[in-house]
């Protein structure tokens, strides 16, 4: 019975958060009322208050859910190109920029640190980890494993650059998400591998040896 109740409660919470998301996307957080959320979710106001207690609690839960899904999406994009820095960077940045266009709540969350005025954004300032701090930590941990040939200093600079440039392109887009992602990935690869030329194509893969072959390895060069 306990498991059944937990399942029902989980479904109820998702139903409420889905309703709240639709209302926030359409009208913004500031004008949102508990009565409207209950109506959209198809439940009574009392049931809504019993589950969440306040509008602020719904806002926190909504932001948390969207952030978790967003960060998991970035991780999937990176993992699809593990070991190929430029391709992984383009995939992760492209996903982020598309989310900023398609998901109004995610865009608000991503821009919260830049002084947004929506009350919902205030919830991010009370989180133990600001969203970009979390993203940078996740990306750095990924880079340590996926790009072992990048030295620590270059890796740190590359991670900070990709995050800051992505924020800049969200605030003031200058091109399509795909083209912006390609350019940001290119810059990131150049920072990660400052002495390497011809980065396109297999950028980010471990470099092949360019040493000349020994005489004994060249056909017809034996004594």
């Amino acid at each position: 019975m306990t498991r059944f109740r937990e399942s029902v409660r989980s479904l109820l919470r998702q139903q409420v958060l889905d309703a709240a998301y639709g209302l926030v996307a359409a009208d913004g957080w500031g004008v949102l009322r508990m009565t409207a959320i209950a109506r959209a979710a198809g439940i009574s106001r009392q049931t809504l208050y019993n589950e969440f207690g306040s509008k602020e609690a719904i806002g926190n839960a909504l932001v948390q859910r969207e952030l978790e899904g967003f960060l998991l999406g970035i991780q999937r994009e990176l993992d699809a190109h593990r070991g190929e820095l430029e391709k992984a960077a383009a995939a992760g940045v492209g996903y982020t920029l598309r989310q900023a266009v398609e998901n109004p709540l995610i865009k608000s969350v991503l821009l919260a640190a830049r002084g947004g005025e929506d009350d919902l954004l205030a919830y991010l300032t009370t989180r133990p980890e600001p969203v970009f701090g979390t993203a940078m930590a996740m990306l750095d941990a990924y880079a340590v494993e996926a790009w072992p040939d990048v030295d620590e200093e270059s890796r740190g600079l590359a991670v900070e650059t990709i995050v800051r440039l992505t924020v800049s392109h969200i605030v003031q887009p200058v091109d399509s998400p795909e083209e912006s992602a390609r350019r940001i990935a290119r810059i990131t690869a150049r920072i990660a591998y400052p002495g390497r030329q011809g980065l396109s194509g297999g950028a980010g893969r471990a470099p092949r040896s360019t040493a000349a072959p020994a005489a004994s390895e060249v056909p017809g060069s034996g004594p």
Side-chain angles (χ1 to χ4, degrees):
M1 179 63 72
T2 300
R3 183 174 298 177
F4 174 75
R5 287 178 178 174
E6 289 177 352
S7 178
V8 170
R9 184 182 180 189
S10 177
L11 289 173
L12 173 63
R13 290 180 67 86
Q14 291 306 314
Q15 185 176 333
V16 169
L17 294 179
D18 287 344
Y21 174 87
L23 293 170
V24 170
D27 303 317
W29 176 256
V31 300
L32 188 61
R33 298 291 180 266
M34 294 289 275
T35 301
I37 298 174
R39 187 184 305 115
I43 60 176
S44 69
R45 253 184 40 156
Q46 188 58 52
T47 299
L48 181 61
Y49 275 104
N50 288 344
E51 183 58 39
F52 285 95
S54 67
K55 175 183 170 181
E56 288 72 23
I58 293 175
N60 275 315
L62 184 58
V63 167
Q64 183 66 33
R65 185 183 74 165
E66 294 301 309
L67 279 181
E68 288 177 356
F70 172 66
L71 293 174
L72 284 173
I74 293 177
Q75 188 69 56
R76 284 194 300 269
E77 295 293 331
L78 294 174
D79 285 340
H81 303 282
R82 183 171 288 269
E84 298 179 279
L85 189 154
E86 191 168 333
K87 288 183 178 180
V93 173
Y95 173 82
T96 301
L97 295 179
R98 288 192 301 273
Q99 284 291 299
V101 171
E102 299 166 3
N103 187 327
L105 183 57
I106 284 294
K107 182 173 183 178
S108 293
V109 167
L110 292 175
L111 301 183
R114 304 187 67 89
E117 297 179 356
D118 195 325
D119 290 342
L120 180 58
L121 307 185
Y123 298 133
L124 295 178
T125 65
T126 64
R127 289 170 52 83
E129 287 279 346
V131 59
F132 275 103
T134 302
M136 287 182 69
M138 181 188 76
L139 184 55
D140 189 61
Y142 169 87
V144 170
E145 294 184 3
W147 310 329
D149 55 328
V150 179
D151 66 84
E152 184 176 357
E153 181 180 13
S154 296
R155 184 177 68 243
L157 290 172
V159 168
E160 182 175 358
T161 297
I162 195 172
V163 171
R164 292 188 181 279
L165 284 179
T166 300
V167 175
S168 177
H169 279 255
I170 292 172
V171 174
Q172 190 171 6
V174 296
D175 217 322
S176 68
E178 291 73 23
E179 178 60 21
S180 294
R182 187 192 69 78
R183 292 176 64 83
I184 292 173
R186 182 79 166 167
I187 293 169
T188 302
R190 287 186 176 275
I191 291 173
Y193 301 103
R196 194 177 303 179
Q197 300 297 319
L199 285 169
S200 59
R205 293 177 179 169
R208 296 181 180 179
S209 172
T210 56
S216 60
E217 295 175 344
V218 178
S221 63

